[in-house]
Amino acid sequence: EVEKKVAADVENGEEEEAPKGCFPGWVPAAKMASIVWVVLLADGMHNLTDGLAIAASFSKSTSLGWTTTLAIALHEIPQEVGDFAIMLAAGLPVSQAVCFNLLSGAGSLGAAMIAAAVASENPSSEDWFMCIASGSFVYLGSTVITPEVLSKVKELSPLQMFLHAFGFCAGVAIMWAIAVTEDHDECGH
């Protein structure tokens, strides 16, 4: 019911006075569409995993750390743009959507700092952080992304199917090239 009222207010251009402690024009927490909360929670958890992966990678080797950071950054840009679009579609003003995206992204930095501090005190924790991050990525890929892609195969043109397959193969080739050229001596192997 609250979501319908917010959507109606947005369509009619009506704005209430901001409640105490709220920036003018911002949607109060009680009136935010539930999708905003879902996006913030999911993105926050996702960013924590990204932070763990970055910290664990840097603790293994500098080149692995930069490679992981680049891969995560390239993945995060379109994902954050999508989150931003969802928040705007849910009726949040641009300033509030940007602020929420930045706060959610800060979870990555916080997790990286905590993981780096823990790893400096307990070097064996690096392996656990890598396992948690890797497992999260494999889980998302196998339970969320792959079924979604496969469900849309019938809707794709031959060119789109080729581009998807090419992108997948290019990603595998890039990861293979990184694994082959990675300086394994820094990792102790």
Side-chain angles (χ1 to χ4, degrees), residues 54-77:
I54 290 169
S57 298
F58 270 111
S59 69
K60 292 290 184 185
S61 78
T62 304
S63 62
L64 181 61
W66 284 116
T67 301
T68 303
T69 301
L70 177 63
I72 288 174
L74 290 174
H75 157 80
E76 281 298 313
I77 292 168

Side-chain angles (χ1 to χ4, degrees), residues 81-168:
V81 169
D83 291 347
F84 181 72
I86 290 169
M87 287 187 227
L88 290 180
L92 269 60
V94 171
S95 61
Q96 191 172 12
V98 167
C99 183
F100 282 3
N101 251 356
L102 290 173
L103 287 173
S104 174
S108 182
L109 180 61
M113 291 170 54
I114 291 169
V118 169
S120 70
E121 294 295 318
N122 183 3
S124 67
S125 65
E126 299 165 357
D127 294 331
W128 285 101
F129 292 146
M130 289 295 276
C131 289
I132 291 168
S134 300
S136 298
F137 293 139
V138 169
Y139 173 79
L140 286 172
S142 62
T143 62
V144 177
I145 297 168
T146 301
E148 183 177 334
V149 169
L150 292 176
S151 73
K152 299 187 192 258
V153 166
K154 294 176 184 173
E155 302 169 13
L156 298 177
S157 72
L159 176 61
Q160 290 172 318
M161 288 176 67
F162 170 76
L163 291 173
H164 280 270
F166 178 78
F168 177 80

Side-chain angles (χ1 to χ4, degrees), residues 11-97:
E11 286 179 15
N12 297 329
E14 296 175 20
E15 279 192 42
E16 299 179 1
E17 191 169 319
K20 187 175 180 182
C22 202
F23 291 105
W26 280 32
V27 177
K31 291 189 175 185
M32 273 191 250
S34 58
I35 189 67
V36 173
W37 294 111
V38 171
V39 166
L40 289 173
L41 179 63
D43 193 38
M45 295 298 292
H46 175 97
N47 287 332
L48 291 174
T49 303
D50 289 346
L52 287 177
I54 290 169
S57 298
F58 270 111
S59 69
K60 292 290 184 185
S61 78
T62 304
S63 62
L64 181 61
W66 284 116
T67 301
T68 303
T69 301
L70 177 63
I72 288 174
L74 290 174
H75 157 80
E76 281 298 313
I77 292 168
Q79 195 241 323
E80 294 300 332
V81 169
D83 291 347
F84 181 72
I86 290 169
M87 287 187 227
L88 290 180
L92 269 60
V94 171
S95 61
Q96 191 172 12

